[in-house]
Amino acid sequence: MNKLQLKNVSKHYSSKLALDNISCEFSVGIWGFLGPNGAGKSTLMNIIAGILKPDGESVVLYNETPVPQLGRSYRSVIGYMPQQQNVFRDFTGAQFLSYMAALKGIDSKAARVQISELLQRLELTDIAHRRISGYSGGMKQRILLAQALLGAPEILILDEPTAGVDPKQRVIIKNLIKEISEDKIILLSTHIVSDIEKLADRIVFLKDGRIVQQGAADELLAGTELESLYMRYFGDE
Ligand code: ADP
Ligand code: MG
């Protein structure tokens, strides 16, 4: 069973401490990261995605091997949906997905099959040949999610996947995440409680770069609403 481990992961941006000595182990399942803006969610996800270097003493291991040692092979097991939306505005949705598939080293025939399936599942087929610059926020989120799913990654990192998405599209995204979650490690960040209610198997509360609470969703939520847990940790935010 795949396993991702963080040991004493910290991150400074010059003198600002964004992550403070985080140790945590992620197994297969949906992990919801909940925390207010500035908690360190994106920093953590960028580090796990391998695109941001943590401070020197930090260790990230995938199946017991340090991620820097895995090099390219780590990239092929990662699907990453960044928080930033304004990318590849001049590409059409279909061009963007073909380009990302090529970067991931997926051969063009397999890419065509995967792209058409993903476009369909995310209800993007009709707009696949329109430029991304003309997409609504929800359409952009769905094309970014499609890109993250190319190559059936073992680890899926979704940074605020439902930001700026209307309720109907939110349901499409949440259902898809649930559907594909088998055998994957899914890390999903949000500041919106309802995003991970009924979706996450485990919930991690992040505040000021630290994990303030974590546990199985059903245990944390036994007799308590997630909203009131959120208020307990972040009520002053
Ligand atoms: P979140 O995703 O939970 O909103 P971030 O990881 O984006 O949190 O930010 C954590 C902290 O690090 C915040 O205080 C933020 O201002 C700071 N930060 C994030 N990115 C940078 C950066 N590139 N340079 C300096 N400070 C940053
Ligand atoms: Mg963020």
Side-chain angles (χ1 to χ4, degrees), residues 218-235:
D218 49 2
E219 286 167 25
L220 282 174
L221 297 180
T224 319
E225 294 287 319
L226 184 53
E227 188 72 49
S228 60
L229 271 183
Y230 188 91
M231 288 309 287
R232 185 186 309 165
Y233 296 113
F234 310 125

Side-chain angles (χ1 to χ4, degrees), residues 11-14 16-19 35-46 52 83 159-160 189-191 206 208-209:
K11 176 69 189 176
H12 282 86
Y13 294 106
S14 28
K16 164 82 194 170
L17 181 61
L19 287 180
N37 283 327
K41 302 181 297 296
S42 295
T43 300
L44 188 66
M45 300 209 145
N46 288 336
L52 184 68
Q83 190 175 356
D159 198 356
E160 309 239 8
S189 84
T190 184
H191 63 276
L206 261 189
D208 298 332

Side-chain angles (χ1 to χ4, degrees), residues 58-111:
S58 314
V59 179
V60 182
L61 301 163
Y62 186 51
N63 296 334
E64 315 288 349
T65 308
V67 160
Q69 272 178 39
L70 290 168
R72 280 185 76 86
S73 70
Y74 184 66
R75 252 178 281 157
S76 69
V77 303
I78 289 271
Y80 173 51
M81 176 177 174
Q83 190 175 356
Q84 168 67 3
Q85 278 203 345
N86 291 321
V87 286
F88 300 104
R89 295 170 54 81
D90 292 334
F91 281 53
T92 67
Q95 284 168 339
F96 171 59
L97 293 182
S98 303
Y99 177 71
M100 293 307 289
L103 284 185
K104 290 187 182 197
I106 301 168
D107 80 65
S108 59
K109 198 170 157 202

Side-chain angles (χ1 to χ4, degrees), residues 62-182:
Y62 186 51
N63 296 334
E64 315 288 349
T65 308
V67 160
Q69 272 178 39
L70 290 168
R72 280 185 76 86
S73 70
Y74 184 66
R75 252 178 281 157
S76 69
V77 303
I78 289 271
Y80 173 51
M81 176 177 174
Q83 190 175 356
Q84 168 67 3
Q85 278 203 345
N86 291 321
V87 286
F88 300 104
R89 295 170 54 81
D90 292 334
F91 281 53
T92 67
Q95 284 168 339
F96 171 59
L97 293 182
S98 303
Y99 177 71
M100 293 307 289
L103 284 185
K104 290 187 182 197
I106 301 168
D107 80 65
S108 59
K109 198 170 157 202
R112 270 201 298 279
V113 175
Q114 283 186 36
I115 289 170
S116 114
E117 192 189 305
L118 284 167
L119 286 170
Q120 222 155 51
R121 289 179 83 174
L122 285 160
E123 302 184 16
L124 288 165
T125 307
D126 293 347
I127 55 159
H129 298 291
R130 276 164 48 186
R131 281 180 188 221
I132 292 174
S133 56
Y135 284 13
S136 68
M139 292 170 186
K140 284 182 188 162
Q141 287 302 78
R142 282 181 285 142
I143 203 84
L144 280 175
L145 177 59
Q147 158 285 129
L149 292 172
L150 286 167
E154 294 167 6
I155 304 173
L156 193 58
I157 300 169
L158 307 173
D159 198 356
E160 309 239 8
T162 57
V165 172
D166 69 38
K168 180 171 165 273
Q169 304 193 38
R170 208 164 268 239
V171 173
I172 298 175
I173 289 177
K174 284 174 69 170
N175 286 346
L176 182 69
I177 293 171
K178 194 82 189 172
E179 234 176 273
I180 53 144
S181 63
E182 207 183 331

